[in-house]
Amino acid sequence: MAETGASPAAGTGRAAAEETVTAGTGEALVTETGGAPAAGTLHGLGVSPGRAAGRVCRMADPPRLPAPRPVADTARETALALRALEEVAAELSARAGRAPGSEAGAILEAQSFMAADPGLRETVEENVAAGMDAGHAVDAACGHHRRALLEAGGHFAERAADLDDIRNRAVAAVLGLPVPGVPDPGHPFVLVAGDLAPADTVNLDPATVLALVTEKGGPTSHTAILARSRGLPAVVACRGAPEIGDGTWVSVDGTAGEVVTGLAEEAAEEILRRAAAERRRLAASTGPGRTADGRAVELLLNIGSAADLGAGAQAEGVGLFRTEFLFLGRADAPGFEEQVAAYEAVLRASPGGKVVVRTLDAGTDKPLPFLDLPEEPNPALGVRGLRVGRVRQDVLDVQLDAIAEAARASGVQPWVMAPMVTTAGEAADFAARARARGVTRVGAMIEVPAAALRAGRLLRELDFLSIGTNDLSQYAFAADRQHGELADLLDPWQAGLLRLVAECGRAGRAAGKPVGVCGEAAADPLLATVLVGLGVTSLSMSAPSLAPVRERLARTSLAACETGARIALDADDPAAAREAVAGMTAAGAARR
Ligand code: PEP
Ligand code: MG
């Protein structure tokens, strides 16, 4: 479990005189920091890998409400409050428009819907009718709906931060204060905040913002998702964050989840220099994925839309196209034509020939209101992914029709797979539906342990498998993937998870069919070598992870990957596995 709070820097006697630097590759470097004031190490969850250092800029505190004032004209007051909400909704929607078709745009559009929600407006009206002024009416209404989200738990609870942002923006609008948001100090900085709303994160400029540290947030919070897609190192759930002083120098390790405070300026600059040198070294490794002895391992990209393809020119194709981003935050399902256009755009613009399209993964952390799915006590164990077909087969069939039409129009044949496949019967049914529409490569995601254990049987129905380690961990370890406190169980180095991957790798080899990994595990360079040793033939990740994974594979032989896999399968815990595999590959490199 992630430790939180401040602790003395490593090497107590020489507090911060020496520091270990990890520049997103697992390489250990040593930096002399010398004479740093009051250094300490804060721990949180590392949710976006990489290393950066710089001066802290804190997000401004949310606008404070003045004392309540008596309301003389209820109609005027209601109009003032509702206008503020409308302005916020319009601003969020305009920002979404500036990031069309991207994950970020979909998130902002959903937040704009939240600000315009009739239920929220109604609560504001009731509050004014009960005697509150506009500012207090907005504040209390957002507080009311926030509590409801928190009580709903899971994905809904993580959206509470979005509502806080709406509250802050609307209260500022009512009071005539500037819109709260990311500071602009005129120099690069490490952004420290209580939490970040999508509207803040979307427009972050990676040239100015070096890294993110937040007190709140979980592994799948928007801060985490967007930081990863922008390649910004990020640590969330860092309880010591409020104590980090504005203008002080810190280093942030988004891989280890550590923030070292009280650095001297020269030490921070040295860390930045080393991280930049490391990035240059990694950028020099190009071309297709290969082990040191030439075994091909396809390196692919995870995307939410065609807009995410720009940064992935170095990928050999798309390993996971999450089509649900087209459906999120919508009052109605996107129509056939709209879907064809979205899929065709990806097929035409893909960096390599291969594109793996995943059919709609709805339910639990990706709720789609228009599906009208029944309320469930345990949504993660309920009607989600392919199971939506049990109640709304029409939605999945229209999607398959649209994918087939996009293939015809673009002349590019996608590989098509379904999420949350659990049994061979489900695999056979999906394959029949897809093949009836002319899809030539049909596969399944392996996210449920039962499917991993029957990988060989599933492959009799299918052409390929793609392992979703995020969900496979969740279901194998009975640990909610959004639960920050259970992060240790969700660690992809857990031998229990790797044994399930090994089963799939074995089945793939026996059938002579490809088995990829498209969960976050594929983005960890050292673990990537283990996955290849377990028989995985492709790795799919977001763009910033491609170079480190490619570079690590290129200096590890297939035999070393297989030895690493055996070590990891038998390790007592994830930390021991990492250490033993890193030691083994370092020793191998030293012998060469
Ligand atoms: C996974 O579960 O590992 C996966 C890639 O799918 P998602 O994260 O979209 O659920
Ligand atoms: Mg999944």
Side-chain angles (χ1 to χ4, degrees), residues 188-230:
F189 60 98
V190 172
L191 183 61
V192 177
D195 205 351
L196 286 170
D200 300 323
T201 332
V202 162
N203 295 323
L204 291 183
D205 175 5
T208 340
V209 180
L210 302 166
L212 304 175
V213 180
T214 64
E215 184 196 358
K216 303 202 180 112
T220 57
S221 59
H222 286 141
T223 307
I225 296 169
L226 295 173
R228 272 197 294 272
S229 71
R230 277 170 177 61

Side-chain angles (χ1 to χ4, degrees), residues 159-187:
R159 302 291 80 86
D162 302 359
L163 201 53
D164 289 343
D165 180 56
I166 290 169
R167 177 263 177 213
N168 293 341
R169 287 167 182 275
V171 168
V174 166
L175 300 176
L177 298 173
V179 178
V182 175
D184 182 12
H187 57 75

